[in-house]
Amino acid sequence: DGGITQSPKYLFRKEGQNVTLSCEQNLNHDAMYWYRQDPGQGLRLIYYSQIVNDFQKGDIAEGYSVSREKKESFPLTVTSAQKNPTAFYLCASSTDHGGATQYFGPGTRLLVL
Amino acid sequence: GDSVTQMEGPVTLSEEAFLTINCTYTATGYPSLFWYVQYPGEGLQLLLKATKADDKGSNKGFEATYRKETTSFHLEKGSVQVSDSAVYFCALSDRNKFYFGSGTKLNVKP
């Protein structure tokens, strides 16, 4: 079955630690996205990538970094510079960045110890 | 700039009641419109979409019509079930960007 997988489902971060969230898709989509969702709120765009080896900052990129070395993979690193990282992180992909339907993974919940 | 506005929740209904969740949008181009559903602890699932004015999207008993004259895309269902309890997001895509509403939580009681 084609789809988007995110791992882990839950992730705990200690103070000053960088953590990496995985996102993999086998839909052959060119574009991939990372969103942050806080309780009771909508989605905010962190980073997006239209094609391999290229990515762009979204609305709240500070304290986050990404890479896009393979078409299937778009990992997100939450760095120690992100002072309030506790949130639900959602990865999505679409055939292109021209407004095509976005399909979402199951999400990763990040908690700070 | 572009934006999506949804009615605030939570919306609480009894099973078999009629559902309407209002969504209005602002866009400078010719957007496509979407409804997504999110069940607790999960990602968003595409529920339905419409790509041009007067199109009707439908899925699993839910419907929404793209109304350009009123810039609206209201979600409706004739008879809700307990299993429809979730958060519903209205969204638009326009000029290579996606915009999401803040979500409306629906609680359906038996």
Side-chain angles (χ1 to χ4, degrees):
Chain A
D1 287 342
I4 303 174
T5 57
Q6 291 186 241
S7 62
K9 188 171 178 66
Y10 296 94
L11 186 59
F12 298 90
R13 192 190 92 163
K14 296 180 181 178
E15 292 289 336
Q17 185 181 42
N18 294 351
V19 292
T20 297
L21 285 63
S22 168
C23 177
E24 303 277 334
Q25 55 98 358
N26 61 3
L27 300 168
N28 200 33
H29 285 172
D30 284 318
M32 297 186 74
Y33 310 82
W34 275 105
Y35 291 92
R36 171 179 171 141
Q37 185 179 29
D38 292 284
Q41 298 190 28
L43 281 68
R44 292 186 289 171
L45 182 64
I46 304 172
Y47 269 97
Y48 66 94
S49 168
Q50 299 182 61
I51 199 166
V52 175
N53 292 323
D54 180 70
F55 49 83
Q56 307 294 329
K57 292 182 179 180
D59 301 318
I60 55 164
E62 186 174 352
Y64 300 96
S65 66
V66 293
S67 63
R68 186 84 188 276
E69 297 177 0
K70 298 186 300 182
K71 187 175 185 178
E72 304 79 21
S73 179
F74 190 41
L76 173 74
T77 297
V78 183
T79 74
S80 57
Q82 172 51 244
K83 297 307 179 187
N84 184 23
T86 297
F88 192 49
Y89 291 87
L90 289 161
C91 180
S93 71
S94 64
T95 52
D96 57 49
H97 188 55
T101 302
Q102 293 191 10
Y103 296 91
F104 285 80
T108 292
R109 187 165 299 280
L110 177 60
L111 299 166
V112 176
L113 295 177
Chain B
D2 292 17
S3 66
V4 176
T5 302
Q6 291 181 235
M7 61 188 289
E8 285 194 25
V11 173
T12 301
L13 296 173
S14 297
E15 205 165 23
E16 299 184 0
F18 185 86
L19 169 70
T20 299
I21 300 179
N22 290 337
C23 172
T24 57
Y25 67 90
T26 302
T28 53
Y30 299 92
S32 294
L33 300 174
F34 305 83
W35 276 103
Y36 285 86
V37 58
Q38 184 179 35
Y39 297 100
E42 298 184 9
L44 275 67
Q45 299 175 25
L46 177 67
L47 184 57
L48 52 85
K49 69 177 183 180
T51 58
K52 61 183 187 297
D54 300 324
D55 270 2
K56 178 187 282 188
S58 61
N59 186 27
K60 299 181 181 179
F62 291 90
E63 294 183 340
T65 301
Y66 189 143
R67 302 282 189 201
K68 189 177 180 187
E69 63 275 14
T70 54
T71 62
S72 65
F73 193 55
H74 305 321
L75 182 69
E76 296 181 336
K77 187 176 185 183
S79 176
V80 294
Q81 305 300 313
V82 172
S83 58
D84 293 327
S85 298
V87 179
Y88 293 81
F89 289 91
C90 185
L92 72 83
S93 68
D94 183 30
R95 294 171 300 146
N96 298 342
K97 285 200 74 173
F98 242 79
Y99 302 83
F100 288 89
S102 57
T104 302
K105 185 173 184 178
L106 171 66
N107 295 317
V108 180
K109 297 185 173 181

